[in-house]
Amino acid sequence: MTATLDKFFTFLFYRKSLALFLLLAPLLIWLGVVYLGSLFTLLIQSFFSIDSFSGVIKREFTLESYYDLFRQSTNWDIIIRTTTMAFTVTIVSAIIAFPIAYYMAMNAGPRLKPILYLGVMLPLWSSYLVKVYSWKLIMAKEGILTWCLDQLGLLHLLDAVLSIPVIGGSSLSFSYIGMFLVFVYIWLPYMILPIQASLERIPKSLLEASSDLGGGPMQTFRKVIFPLAFPGVVAGSIFTFSLTLGDYIIPTIIGNSSYFIGMAVYTHQGTAGNIPLAAAFSVVPIVIMMVYLTIAKRLGAFDAL
């Protein structure tokens, strides 16, 4: 048996292409059959329609589901609402994450850096649902956040924020503001780590050269550090944008009854049983992400992953 294995590995050693193919075959099968196959099935379902009287799916090629999707203004509201939330969460996450990642990469010592890594990664080790429900309790009208603001005499500021049209609500747990805060908290580690990795790869010699040539700290940051770290920002934005775009649990638990894309897909597929319309709705974030990934690739995001 050992001699046979030795001959097999010797055979593969002199045939690098075959060895590489065998190593990648399970991954290619998974992506090609399971992942791409399911997406293709979803795309096919979106070109079917449902009989409005019997509720039976008519397996005939038609664009009726897409027509139903885009002719209703409520669906456009859902798409715009979801995309706007994803963009806002991405931008604010980048603003918060960059200083943290910068300190981790440039200033933290060998003892502090593992602690900071642990602090960033620790929220990812707990249950997603536990974190969301915890935030719902924290931001509730009788929650600890309201109590703290009341003790500090700042409750009127919270009431003023919640009175803002559209984004406000009866409490933080029933508003777009609260939903936004939870999204930022949940996805922030996915923005910090790519930025930190990009900053780690910046050669120290470039910073020293900038200083030797008379560049101050702000000029070095604008001309050297930020341009080299920007692909990491874009790489992190892929995670925060796509995860927010497709999430339906946070909008279900936090916020008002306004639908997001994930909630609409779940409702059409589950409650309404309109699988073709749910499939057509699912194609929307796929198209949005294809455009987003194309832009991200041009900005060098894939080099920072």
Side-chain angles (χ1 to χ4, degrees):
M1 183 67 178
T2 305
T4 305
L5 287 176
D6 290 340
K7 290 181 180 179
F8 176 71
F9 287 120
T10 303
F11 176 79
L12 292 179
F13 180 80
Y14 293 104
R15 291 163 179 82
K16 304 292 186 182
S17 299
L18 178 60
L20 181 62
F21 174 77
L22 292 177
L23 286 173
L24 295 178
L27 178 62
L28 294 175
I29 292 173
W30 174 264
L31 290 176
V33 177
V34 179
Y35 182 70
L36 295 179
S38 61
L39 287 180
F40 181 75
T41 303
L42 179 70
L43 180 63
I44 294 297
Q45 290 280 348
S46 68
F47 291 108
F48 295 155
S49 63
I50 190 169
D51 188 274
S52 57
F53 179 74
S54 63
V56 177
I57 297 177
K58 297 186 291 185
R59 302 184 181 278
E60 300 173 355
F61 182 86
T62 178
L63 296 176
E64 183 178 337
S65 294
Y66 288 99
Y67 175 74
D68 291 340
L69 173 63
F70 293 114
R71 73 183 175 89
Q72 298 181 15
S73 59
T74 54
N75 293 335
W76 280 107
D77 291 340
I78 293 172
I79 296 171
I80 294 172
R81 183 183 304 120
T82 308
T83 308
T84 302
M85 179 63 77
F87 270 117
T88 307
V89 169
T90 298
I91 292 172
V92 174
S93 296
I95 294 173
I96 297 174
F98 201 97
I100 300 173
Y102 182 87
Y103 184 81
M104 291 173 62
M106 299 295 186
N107 299 104
R111 291 185 178 180
L112 181 60
K113 187 172 291 187
I115 298 176
L116 294 176
Y117 269 116
L118 182 64
V120 173
M121 298 293 291
L122 194 61
L124 300 178
W125 299 348
S126 59
S127 170
Y128 174 86
L129 284 175
V130 169
K131 290 185 289 187
V132 176
Y133 275 110
S134 297
W135 271 100
K136 185 176 180 66
L137 294 175
I138 291 171
M139 298 187 301
K141 201 162 189 177
E142 301 81 12
I144 188 172
L145 182 59
T146 303
W147 180 84
C148 290
L149 291 175
D150 188 27
Q151 296 299 311
L152 295 172
L154 300 175
L155 191 58
H156 62 283
L157 294 178
L158 177 61
D159 294 334
V161 172
L162 293 175
S163 64
I164 299 175
V166 181
I167 64 174
S170 58
S171 68
L172 281 175
S173 60
F174 288 95
S175 65
Y176 287 127
I177 300 174
M179 189 188 307
F180 163 78
L181 292 175
V182 178
F183 270 129
V184 171
Y185 169 78
I186 295 292
W187 308 138
L188 187 60
Y190 297 97
M191 178 66 80
I192 294 175
L193 295 177
I195 298 177
Q196 192 271 339
S198 291
L199 290 169
E200 287 277 6
R201 287 197 290 265
I202 297 177
K204 303 298 181 183
S205 58
L206 293 180
L207 307 182
E208 295 170 357
S210 176
S211 178
D212 293 341
L213 293 172
M218 288 302 300
Q219 190 174 13
T220 301
F221 178 81
R222 288 188 293 106
K223 299 291 186 179
V224 180
I225 296 176
F226 186 75
L228 293 176
F230 185 70
V233 177
V234 181
S237 74
I238 294 174
F239 296 107
T240 56
F241 184 82
S242 61
L243 291 171
T244 305
L245 194 68
D247 193 278
Y248 74 95
I249 296 178
I250 292 177
T252 302
I253 299 174
I254 308 293
N256 52 34
S257 57
S258 299
Y259 271 26
F260 281 65
I261 291 179
M263 300 166 66
V265 172
Y266 178 80
T267 301
H268 286 305
Q269 189 274 336
T271 306
N274 193 341
I275 296 178
L277 184 57
F281 233 127
S282 301
V283 173
V284 174
I286 294 175
V287 173
I288 294 175
M289 281 309 304
M290 288 176 64
V291 175
Y292 195 89
L293 289 174
T294 302
I295 298 173
K297 184 179 180 181
R298 290 173 179 251
L299 294 175
F302 292 172
D303 297 331
L305 291 175

